[in-house]
Amino acid sequence: GAVVSQHPSWVICKSGTSVKIECRSLDFQATTMFWYRQFPKQSLMLMATSNEGSKATYEQGVEKDKFLINHASLTLSTLTVTSAHPEDSSFYICSAAPGANRRSTQYFGPGTRLTVL
Amino acid sequence: DQQVKQNSPSLSVQEGRISILNCDYTNSMFDYFLWYKKYPAEGPTFLISISSIKDKNEDGRFTVFLNKSAKHLSLHIVPSQPGDSAVYFCAARGWQGAQKLVFGQGTRLTINP
């Protein structure tokens, strides 16, 4: 149980285009989903927290107009990187928590490798 | 401001021996700590956690120790197996940040046969 999927697993796009990444909780309902970014040999950095049916909460320094997050249902959250540039190239990972309780374990997706040319 | 630090970027251990991964934190509001294992191009997998009211938690070959006064935790793996080769992240959570996790930089563990 507690499987989280991401699609696509990798994507290559041209500079200036937008890319959408999906995160799904397959066998549980996720009240809260999280989006992280990991640069090579660095830590996972939380970008934003999304709660179903409400606006996402972005971490300091993360542009909400560039990284659009939609949490339309209890099993799906999407991250859209708008007008992508080469510096947005990174590994994007989502996680989902089964409940709103802060002790709920986060289960991570396999990640999406974004390369912007 | 790196609130969770893993000062050893890599560690090499012989198969069958004990692996000890260390993690330090600076924020005294953290009250729950987790260890995750990550393979390349995959998401982290939860390993073991510990609450700040405890100083030790054990699960099979994995034991996490917490020293609150030193703001230090460690993950012991014994005996180490080749399949344990991965990057290990420690993460911390505080009551103020709800479910928000703060990750360390990770330590790459290599188990040599």
Side-chain angles (χ1 to χ4, degrees), chain B residues 13-32:
Chain B
V13 174
Q14 196 168 2
E15 182 180 359
R17 299 287 183 103
I18 183 171
S19 296
I20 300 176
L21 298 105
N22 293 302
C23 178
D24 298 293
Y25 62 97
T26 57
N27 191 337
S28 57
M29 300 306 293
F30 290 144
D31 66 351
Y32 197 70

Side-chain angles (χ1 to χ4, degrees), chain A residues 8-9 16 22 26 33 37 42 51 58 62 79 83 85 88-89 102 111 113 116:
Chain A
S9 56
E22 291 186 349
L26 298 184
M33 288 185 170
R37 179 168 55 184
Q42 293 189 25
N51 293 290
Y58 290 81
V62 178
L79 168 68
S83 187
H85 289 97
D88 298 324
S89 298
R102 68 182 194 95
R113 171 76 59 194
V116 185

Side-chain angles (χ1 to χ4, degrees), chain A residues 32-100:
Chain A
T32 308
M33 288 185 170
F34 304 85
W35 287 96
Y36 295 83
R37 179 168 55 184
Q38 185 187 23
F39 292 108
K41 297 185 179 180
Q42 293 189 25
S43 181
L44 282 76
M45 298 299 295
L46 179 66
M47 299 175 65
T49 302
S50 77
N51 293 290
E52 186 267 338
S54 62
K55 290 184 178 180
T57 302
Y58 290 81
E59 294 299 303
Q60 192 173 12
V62 178
E63 300 176 58
K64 62 180 181 180
D65 294 329
K66 181 168 184 62
F67 298 99
L68 300 179
I69 292 172
N70 183 279
H71 193 157
S73 75
L74 286 172
T75 59
L76 173 65
S77 176
T78 60
L79 168 68
T80 301
V81 183
T82 62
S83 187
H85 289 97
E87 57 266 30
D88 298 324
S89 298
S90 187
F91 193 57
Y92 292 86
I93 307 174
C94 73
S95 71

Side-chain angles (χ1 to χ4, degrees), chain A residues 32 34 36 38 41-46 49 51 59 91 93 97-111 113, chain B residues 2 31-32 34 36 38 40-46 51-52 87 89 93-96 98-106 108:
Chain A
T32 308
F34 304 85
Y36 295 83
Q38 185 187 23
K41 297 185 179 180
Q42 293 189 25
S43 181
L44 282 76
M45 298 299 295
L46 179 66
T49 302
N51 293 290
E59 294 299 303
F91 193 57
I93 307 174
N101 185 308
R102 68 182 194 95
R103 294 300 189 197
S104 292
T105 299
Q106 290 184 32
Y107 298 94
F108 285 81
R113 171 76 59 194
Chain B
Q2 190 73 28
D31 66 351
Y32 197 70
L34 308 92
Y36 284 86
K38 185 181 182 297
E42 293 185 12
T45 302
F46 170 73
S51 166
S52 61
V87 177
F89 289 95
R93 187 168 66 199
W95 67 269
Q96 288 181 321
Q99 294 172 308
K100 175 181 174 179
L101 291 177
V102 179
F103 282 84
Q105 308 97 308
R108 179 175 299 280

Side-chain angles (χ1 to χ4, degrees), chain B:
Chain B
D1 177 27
Q2 190 73 28
Q3 297 185 67
V4 179
K5 298 179 183 180
Q6 293 175 256
N7 292 316
S8 296
S10 63
L11 175 67
S12 187
V13 174
Q14 196 168 2
E15 182 180 359
R17 299 287 183 103
I18 183 171
S19 296
I20 300 176
L21 298 105
N22 293 302
C23 178
D24 298 293
Y25 62 97
T26 57
N27 191 337
S28 57
M29 300 306 293
F30 290 144
D31 66 351
Y32 197 70
F33 304 89
L34 308 92
W35 283 95
Y36 284 86
K37 176 181 179 180
K38 185 181 182 297
Y39 293 114
E42 293 185 12
T45 302
F46 170 73
L47 268 179
I48 192 169
S49 63
I50 188 167
S51 166
S52 61
I53 62 173
K54 295 185 177 182
D55 55 17
K56 177 183 175 181
N57 189 26
E58 191 172 353
D59 184 2
R61 297 186 299 115
F62 303 92
T63 303
V64 56
F65 295 92
L66 175 63
N67 183 333
K68 282 184 62 180
S69 61
K71 293 189 176 67
H72 176 84
L73 63 154
S74 60
L75 173 67
H76 293 211
I77 306 173
V78 58
S80 301
Q81 299 174 354
D84 296 330
S85 296
V87 177
Y88 289 78
F89 289 95
C90 74
R93 187 168 66 199
W95 67 269
Q96 288 181 321
Q99 294 172 308
K100 175 181 174 179
L101 291 177
V102 179
F103 282 84
Q105 308 97 308
T107 296
R108 179 175 299 280
L109 175 65
T110 302
I111 305 301
N112 301 307

